[in-house]
Amino acid sequence: SGKMAAAAGAGSRGAAPSPGTGAVQQGLKEALFEALGSILSPVQEVRAAGEEQIKVLEVTEEFGVHLAELTVDPQGVLAIRQLASVILKQYVENHWCNQSEKFHPPETTERAKLAIRELLPNGLREPISKVRSSVAYAISAIAHWDWPEAWPELFRLLMEMLISGDVNAVHGAMRVLTEFTREVTDTQMPLVAPVILPEMYKIFTMAEVYSIRTRARAVEIFTTCANLICAIEEVEKGAAKALIFPVVQQFTEAFVQALQMPDGPSSDSGLKMEVLKAVTALVKNFPKHMVSSMQQILPIVWSTLTESAAVYVRTEVNYMEEVDDPVDSDGEVLGFENLVFNIFEFVHTLLENRKFKSTVKKALPELIYYIILYMQITEEQIKVWTGNPHQFVEDEDDDTFSYSVRISAQDLLLAVASDFQSESAIALAAAATKHLQEAEQAKSDGNVHWWKIHEACMLALGSVKNVITESLKNGRIQFDMHGFLTNVVLVDLNLSVSPFLLGRALWAASRFATVMTPELIQQFLQATVSGLHETQPPSVRISAVRAIWGYCDQLKISECTHVLQPFLPSILDGLIHLATQFSSEVLTLVMETLCVVCTVDPAFTISVENKVCPLTIAIFLKYSNDPVVASLAQDIFKELAQIEACQGPMQMRLIPTLVSIMHAPSDKIPSGLCATAIDILTTVVRNTKLPLSEVLICQAFPVVAQCTLHTDDNATMQNGGECLRAYVAVALEQIAQWHDDQGHNGLWYVMQVVSQLLDPRTSEYTAAFVGRLVSTLISKAGSQLGENLDQILRAILSKMQQAETLSVMQSLIMVFAQLVHNQLEPLLEFLCSLPGPTGKPALEFVMSEWTSRQPLFYGQYEGKVSTVAMCKLLQHGINTDDKRLRDIMVKGEEIFNADEGIRTRSKAAKNPERWTNIPLLVKLFKLLIGELSSAMEANVARQSTAAEWNQDEVNDMWEDQDDDDEDDDEGLAGQLLSDLLNPGAGVRYDDDYYDEDDEDDPDTLKDPLYQVDLQAYLTDYLRQFAQQPCYTPFSDHLNEKEKRVLRSIGI
């Protein structure tokens, strides 16, 4: 390393000449010290030189040791120590262990590791908290790899620090444990829990010795361990019993005590928040174990909820008194609202477990009363929203990403309303009635904040309006809705207490349009139109826009839109005014509403096309880089395109604009604009009545084809492909008849684009949609493709050999799946005539890629196309005893060592995967059973959600039914913990699987396969298959799980 030192010295000479010292003689440590100094320099060049210097030094053996020495040197310069400690943390992540995901060579030598492990623990006693925290991070990162084997004494050191009485040492040691437990591996946990948990219990319960923050951290460490042990339990039965059950009882009792402790020197809302998180984790992860403690826990959490409400209303909602929020050791303010969030989280957890659900049901009337208190607008929100209308739109949106007590209270209300529909309607009606009476009293007592309760009651009733209107219809609730609308909502509209009350009243009225008398609707609509006026405060205008959206939506459903007609012209003017005055969130809300207004009355929309269309084009061009605005503009164009009388004029305005964007050189227009323009063109093509106009065929089509062929932008290429697919799907004849001056017709252009998208030189992502384009081409123009089809399939095969991303592979494989449906024999012939990457026929390559990826495919339609194609292939293989399919062998199942236990990251890296080899037809059979199993699970999940509503009466809370279903242990051996905590399995069958709305692709919706009920289809198919003489050799290959699936359908 003498040369290194010279190089390092030479580097630093250029950076900052240091007179008198021969740079060559500088030791590496001095060079490092100097480099750190340079990085702290205000001069950019000096900083850059320092960073380069660090890169040079990073590969030397002593680099980490020197960083550690500089970090823990109490005489050192503070800024240098802090920087050294941060770089040390990164160094450990990057160089300590070659198994790390962030590893870069060289790996730290054993000698250096030993020195660093010796040095660092001293840094945990450091009085400066930033240095102490960085040291703790570094130690925890080292412990992740080295404890217990290489660093057995670490825990003894930490435990000594915890009882040392030195405040800094306690904080440092707790910091290490907090970080370490977050990253702990499944193999370390059995060693960690028995050591750490009893110590955490001591710290938590010794209120006179340890500070509130240290005790809160002890609880946080307990919670982290509880969550991880639960994850381990899923794979290794008995883990919870051994590791956490021994301490649950004592911790729970201590938690119950802590929640009852009034705020003071040994308790505050920050500590209670951690305790609640811990209790919630226990109830969620180990419900059986917690049943006996629930009688103690519930009343205490309940009183925390009710007492906190009073504090919250005084300090946050109405700001009548200051509150001292606790601050944690990193300077984070632990606001009181965090405690409230965790109370709500606890209730959500009760709802998720059928043992505890009924406790919530019993408490509904009181619970909803308190939820409304927490839903009130705070003084802080009034201040923010008054100053920033965009924030008001963002925070009050149904799908907001903001988080506040008001929003989480609404979430909880929606959760109980969906779990107990009729009970929550009754409870809400009672709670609202009580609140409104109390508000009346507060108002007459001169309380200026009375209106906030009105606002919250309207918000609560409006949020769950379906539950309320249903219950009113079938007479389950006694609530005078007409009285509420006339005596509360309408009356509040005439008061000028707060624009936020006015706005909420407009919105609330629109939610209940279907239960109003015609006179009342008239009055409210009149008020809403006035609310749009530009003399009104922004929050009132915004609420009026939301109300209009509500009226259009509601009145369309009940087919009463004639009520709206007289107001439409003023509504449109108001919306156009707002659209020209505001941008971002307000603008998007206005455009959503404008789009709905266009659907109310076609005759009106035809009369205002000349206002709506130019406005939308102008907004689209002005905010071209905002994807949300672009997609809303598209929605408006779509509505206009569907009204025949608007088609012509709209195309004359819009298409020339789109054509000129597609013509423009890419450096002359904002990036992304061209791709968006093509997207809008696709929408017009898909939604226009046929035949397509001359403008669309002779002007737009050739331009979009040229644009796609000559762009190097992936998004433009992808959207171009999708646009041509729309043309092929909708108007194949028309584009086949059109031709350019050279005599090339439209199909020739489409073929060029397909080749371009599949070109091995373009990015693989451009191929993510090409499968759909090719499938549409084949189904629409199969016979006209001739030689071209072979050429496309060859290109797909070579693209498959390059592709790495699942979505791209799926898109390419889908083309072969489609061909199995309509041209099976020609497909098999073609694939056998070409060599694959290994020299064997390409058929083997396609089959092994397809079968290995089938379980990962996502998308309901794609799943059906692929699964039914596999059924056809298997049937064909057996009926014809097709040698081409019979001889192919593919990967079967992964082989695990029985003695391997759970796969830690290091084991996974050392032992590569091993698989069995099985015949293709057997693999197809096994995959079909897997698909049936997934479809059955998805159907069961769907039915159980529906059945849960009727189930509540049956399971009362204390019946300890055995919930331990026979869990299926197969296939879990060797999973990494991190995978267990974010299971991505069964992607095709997630919660939205059965929302029919999620498929908006028109070609898909027309395909009869889309309507297939996969469970019924596969059940029928497999039952027939089991009758065939060849079934026995197939059944020999099945594992237990597959046999169980077949038994469930009677095979």
Side-chain angles (χ1 to χ4, degrees), residues 114-126:
L114 192 66
I116 293 171
R117 288 194 297 253
E118 282 290 297
L119 283 162
L120 282 182
N122 295 327
L124 294 176
R125 304 174 188 275
E126 172 60 50

Side-chain angles (χ1 to χ4, degrees), residues 473-639:
K473 260 188 221 152
N474 53 31
R476 279 206 204 118
I477 55 172
Q478 304 305 307
F479 182 70
D480 177 5
M481 183 49 86
H482 184 77
F484 170 68
L485 288 167
T486 45
N487 305 330
V488 179
V489 184
L490 198 57
V491 169
D492 285 354
L493 275 177
N494 295 312
L495 300 172
S496 47
V497 200
S498 159
F500 295 102
L501 178 64
L502 284 182
R504 179 60 60 206
L506 292 175
W507 173 84
S510 75
R511 302 290 286 168
F512 293 104
T514 47
V515 295
M516 286 185 204
T517 60
E519 302 76 52
L520 202 51
I521 288 196
Q522 288 291 326
Q523 286 178 279
F524 277 122
L525 279 172
Q526 194 52 64
T528 307
V529 169
S530 315
L532 277 179
H533 202 272
E534 51 192 314
T535 53
Q536 299 283 3
S539 60
V540 174
R541 295 173 74 189
I542 287 164
S543 303
V545 173
R546 284 220 159 99
I548 285 161
W549 194 95
Y551 284 117
C552 296
D553 184 55
Q554 292 292 301
L555 296 170
K556 266 165 67 182
I557 294 167
S558 60
E559 300 185 348
C560 298
T561 48
H562 58 273
V563 191
L564 274 168
Q565 282 166 352
F567 297 100
L568 289 172
S570 346
I571 288 176
L572 185 78
D573 290 342
L575 290 174
I576 289 177
H577 246 291
L578 274 160
T580 51
Q581 281 179 313
F582 285 97
S583 63
S584 67
E585 272 77 9
V586 179
L587 177 63
T588 52
L589 176 67
V590 171
M591 288 179 75
E592 275 169 21
T593 309
L594 190 58
C595 187
V596 174
V597 169
C598 286
T599 63
V600 172
D601 173 16
F604 172 72
T605 307
I606 293 165
S607 71
V608 293
E609 180 276 337
N610 57 2
K611 285 183 179 175
V612 175
C613 190
L615 173 78
T616 312
I617 293 174
I619 291 173
F620 157 64
L621 292 173
K622 184 171 177 187
Y623 299 101
S624 59
N625 56 353
D626 181 335
V628 181
V629 172
S631 89
L632 290 167
Q634 210 162 328
D635 292 343
I636 295 174
F637 293 135
K638 179 177 175 178
E639 293 306 337

Side-chain angles (χ1 to χ4, degrees), residues 376-396:
Q376 294 175 86
I377 292 187
T378 65
E379 287 299 300
E380 178 61 22
Q381 283 170 325
I382 292 177
K383 200 170 92 190
V384 171
W385 293 342
T386 307
N388 183 350
H390 299 295
Q391 197 59 49
F392 174 59
V393 175
E394 168 58 29
D395 292 347
E396 292 285 89

Side-chain angles (χ1 to χ4, degrees), residues 118-327:
E118 282 290 297
L119 283 162
L120 282 182
N122 295 327
L124 294 176
R125 304 174 188 275
E126 172 60 50
I128 292 141
S129 73
K130 279 197 172 141
V131 174
R132 198 167 59 227
S133 293
S134 291
V135 169
Y137 268 119
I139 290 179
S140 135
I142 293 170
H144 181 71
W145 302 109
D146 287 9
W147 185 84
E149 295 88 356
W151 200 358
E153 69 279 9
L154 172 64
F155 270 61
R156 185 182 48 76
L157 288 172
L158 294 174
M159 296 306 147
E160 283 169 8
M161 288 186 186
L162 290 178
I163 53 174
S164 65
D166 170 352
V167 185
N168 296 330
V170 171
H171 173 251
M174 288 300 275
R175 208 48 213 263
V176 173
L177 293 175
T178 309
E179 286 308 318
F180 177 71
T181 46
R182 286 178 189 162
E183 289 284 313
V184 79
T185 61
D186 46 346
T187 39
Q188 290 169 326
M189 188 53 99
L191 306 167
V192 171
V195 183
I196 289 191
L197 295 178
E199 289 303 323
M200 294 306 108
Y201 176 75
K202 280 186 214 151
I203 290 175
F204 174 54
T205 49
M206 293 170 72
E208 59 294 333
V209 177
Y210 292 101
S211 72
I212 295 182
R213 289 288 72 81
T214 297
R215 289 167 54 229
R217 190 146 268 172
V219 179
E220 185 191 341
I221 290 170
F222 169 81
T223 309
T224 306
C225 291
N227 285 328
L228 286 170
I229 291 168
C230 177
I232 294 173
E233 172 73 23
E234 285 182 20
V235 191
E236 245 177 81
K237 287 280 177 280
K241 190 174 180 184
L243 301 179
I244 198 148
F245 291 173
V247 296
V248 164
Q249 199 50 44
Q250 59 187 103
F251 264 103
T252 306
E253 283 165 16
F255 290 155
V256 168
Q257 300 281 236
L259 286 172
Q260 287 168 290
M261 193 71 183
D263 288 358
S266 62
S267 180
D268 63 17
S269 61
L271 177 65
K272 288 182 180 147
M273 168 188 93
E274 288 300 343
V275 169
L276 257 175
K277 275 187 189 166
V279 173
T280 305
L282 288 174
V283 172
K284 197 185 209 115
N285 296 328
F286 312 110
K288 271 224 191 75
H289 222 77
M290 296 302 289
V291 170
S292 53
S293 319
M294 267 323 210
Q295 277 140 323
Q296 283 177 289
I297 292 171
L298 285 171
I300 287 155
V301 176
W302 179 250
S303 61
T304 314
L305 174 92
T306 55
E307 287 160 22
S308 302
V311 179
Y312 178 73
V313 172
R314 280 202 316 277
T315 58
E316 292 288 324
V317 175
N318 298 332
Y319 217 52
M320 289 151 96
E321 56 185 74
E322 277 291 331
V323 62
D324 277 340
D325 281 328
V327 177

Side-chain angles (χ1 to χ4, degrees), residues 666 707-717 756 762-763 766:
S666 57
C707 180
T708 311
L709 286 172
H710 296 115
T711 180
D712 47 14
D713 170 54
N714 284 345
T716 305
M717 239 182 258
Q756 161 105 352
T762 54
S763 142
T766 55

Side-chain angles (χ1 to χ4, degrees), residues 820-821 824 867-877 1017 1021:
V820 167
H821 287 283
L824 177 56
T867 305
V868 177
M870 286 191 162
C871 292
K872 292 204 166 162
L873 268 174
L874 176 56
Q875 200 56 54
H876 167 83
Y1017 182 91
Y1021 180 91

Side-chain angles (χ1 to χ4, degrees), residues 654-670:
L654 178 61
I655 304 301
T657 308
L658 300 179
V659 166
S660 64
I661 291 172
M662 290 186 277
H663 262 316
S666 57
D667 53 351
K668 295 280 183 284
I669 53 169

